């Protein structure tokens, strides 16, 4: 029969005196409460499934032995002022020992670890367990057999029995098969390289030179009891880590396996370990730092705001999905979708290149979604394949995309905007009086109502009275030129001195040549001083055709005004 225990003093979990002398919570279903002011040290390596554990004080783990704590369909609840302490920054769980926190849950995403507001979860594994270096590089194409080579000497870093992921590289096949998981059977130094023999049979295909080989074993392991680690298996009836704290969660050098939600909610958490075979790696929350590997999760990072993702995200169905204000500085590769919509997501890392810098494409680097969930992505010097970014659902009138790339393709000064129906890029080869122009390249669905906005800018204090504005455009490759309805400058201005009324006008000139700059002119008269917003829009497609826009126009210049849209204002 299960017993409820409440700590009477600090001490080892297994000692009856810690719980007042009437035994210890070591039998199936036993529940325990760690009283505020007490530190109870869990010191067992036990497969017995305990009941609920509530922590008001500190529940820590012994650091001089292997430990294993298993719960059934229950939770460790960390109350305000309480802490679950699995090692500390200055007192790691030593590399010679392992710590397992496991759940045999019978419901999905209902139990596991719950960190309440004011509670703390601190997990500090030892990087020495994998030699402090987790990523090696394939030294030569691996085509057959159970042995391959990685560059350098890894024999003193990695160990027999540890798990590694190995990427095939090259072209995209499927997010479940472009990376494989193996167990190290032997490590042998051969010249300057290390030969790694694996336990499993090698799958079909070639693993290319330069690909990433990542050690995903850690000496602290958190997750579902008996979880599958097969890539693409997200498990069922999973535990989760529910976080309501602010800067209360730090997980370093631990492996999180088979969770419904590796980390759900809270703010300011630090995750620097391995998340795998989860439904969601990181979900909701704000301001988290994800610097470890996230792989084989259905959703790597989903929802939330302001996360920093500096680790590798790979072999997930969706790498970074939804959310706002994230910064992705790591590598996202071998995913079905690397970035799945999102608002103001900034990418400074690599799309389609692995953690070793080798090509490992995604099925699509960016997926566009409908207007309810915008795809608003900013690339800043991001690396992607020389053939260009790959998109899903772009050039589709049901979907929205607004992707701005600065130092596009890692070329300084090149700025490119990928809109729903075309691309706009700054161009220094064709220009009128400025040193650059903007070139618009329409896609096949570009048309009236579905145009490309080449440029937008606003003048804040345009005086009342007659005004004239003029821009110059030039065609390239057109056989049937855009009409005035399909290529124009337009303006929105205040047209009433009393009631707030905005009027929109458009230019009436038409482009008529591929080698002559044509003026598009606006003449209008605001009824009172105020802002005027301008746009230049192309709404026609012809294969291989484009339009150039001169960046200088009748004063004032759009580059000197506010709220101008990339790339003209960059």
């Amino acid at each position: 029969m299960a017993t409820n225990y409440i700590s009477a003093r600090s001490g080892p979990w297994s000692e009856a005196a810690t719980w007042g002398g009437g035994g210890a919570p070591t039998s199936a279903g036993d529940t325990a409460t760690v009283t505020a002011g007490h530190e109870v040290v869990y010191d067992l390596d036990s497969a017995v499934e305990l009941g609920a554990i509530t922590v008001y004080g500190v529940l820590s783990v012994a650091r001089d032995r292997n430990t294993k704590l298993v719960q059934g369909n229950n939770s460790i609840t960390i109350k305000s002022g309480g802490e679950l302490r699995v090692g500390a920054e200055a007192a790691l769980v030593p590399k010679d020992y392992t710590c397992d926190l496991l759940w045999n849950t019978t419901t999905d995403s209902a139990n596991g670890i719950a960190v309440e507001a004011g509670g703390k979860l601190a997990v500090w594994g030892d990087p020495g367990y994998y030699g402090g270096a987790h990523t090696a590089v394939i030294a030569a194409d691996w085509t057959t057999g159970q042995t391959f080579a990685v560059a350098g000497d890894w024999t003193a870093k990695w160990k027999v029995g540890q798990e590694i992921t190995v990427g095939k590289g090259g072209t995209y096949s499927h997010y479940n098969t472009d990376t494989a998981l193996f167990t190290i059977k032997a490590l042998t130094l051969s010249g300057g390289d290390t030969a790694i023999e694996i336990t499993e049979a090698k799958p079909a295909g070639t693993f290319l030179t330069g690909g990433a080989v990542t050690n995903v074993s850690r000496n602290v392991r958190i997750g579902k009891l008996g979880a599958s680690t097969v890539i693409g298996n997200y498990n069922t009836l999973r535990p989760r880590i529910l976080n309501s704290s602010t800067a209360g969660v730090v997980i370093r050098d631990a492996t999180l396996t088979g969770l419904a939600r590796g980390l759900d909610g809270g703010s300011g958490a630090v995750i620097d370990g391995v998340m795998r075979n989860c439904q969601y790696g990181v979900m909701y929350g704000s301001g988290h730092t994800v610097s470890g590997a996230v792989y084989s999760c259905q959703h790597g990072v989903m929802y939330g705001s302001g996360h920093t993702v500096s680790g590798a995200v790979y072999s997930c169905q969706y790498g970074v999905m939804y959310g706002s204000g994230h910064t992705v500085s790591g590598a996202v590769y071998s995913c079905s979708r690397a970035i799945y919509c999102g608002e103001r997501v900034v990418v400074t890392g690599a799309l389609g290149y692995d953690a070793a810098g080798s090509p490992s494409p995604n099925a699509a680097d960016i997926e566009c979604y409908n207007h309810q969930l915008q795809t608003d992505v900013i690339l800043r010097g991001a690396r992607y394949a020389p053939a260009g970014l790959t998109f899903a659902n772009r050039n589709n009138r049901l979907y929205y995309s607004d992707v701005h790339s600065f130092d596009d393709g890692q070329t300084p000064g090149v700025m490119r905007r990928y809109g729903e129906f075309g691309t706009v890029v700054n161009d220094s080869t064709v220009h009128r009086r400025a040193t650059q122009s903007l070139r618009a390249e329409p896609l096949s669905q570009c048309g009236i109502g579905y145009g490309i906005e080449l440029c937008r800018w606003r003048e804040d204090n345009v005086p009342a009275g007659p005004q004239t504005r003029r821009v110059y455009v030039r065609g390239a490759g057109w056989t049937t030129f855009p009409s005035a309805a399909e290529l124009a400058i337009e303006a929105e201005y205040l047209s009433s001195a009393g009631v707030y009324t905005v009027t929109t006008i458009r230019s009436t000139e038409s482009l008529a040549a591929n080698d002559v700059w044509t003026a598009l002119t606006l003449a209008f008269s605001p009824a009172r001083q105020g802002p005027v917003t301008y746009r230049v829009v192309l709404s026609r497609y012809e294969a291989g055709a484009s339009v150039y826009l001169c960046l200088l126009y009748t004063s004032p210049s759009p580059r000197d005004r506010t709220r101008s849209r990339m790339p003209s204002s960059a």
Side-chain angles (χ1 to χ4, degrees), residues 11-13 34 38-44 55 57-63 67 69 83-88 93 99 101 122:
W13 180 282
V34 178
H38 295 168
E39 179 178 350
V40 175
V41 181
Y42 186 84
D43 57 348
L44 300 177
V55 182
V58 176
L59 175 58
S60 60
V61 300
R63 298 176 50 252
T67 56
L69 190 160
E83 180 179 355
L84 175 55
R85 184 183 297 162
V86 184
V93 176
C99 173
L101 302 178

Side-chain angles (χ1 to χ4, degrees), residues 133-146:
H134 50 66
T135 301
V137 176
I138 299 175
D141 287 359
W142 178 25
T143 58
T144 187
Q146 291 177 279

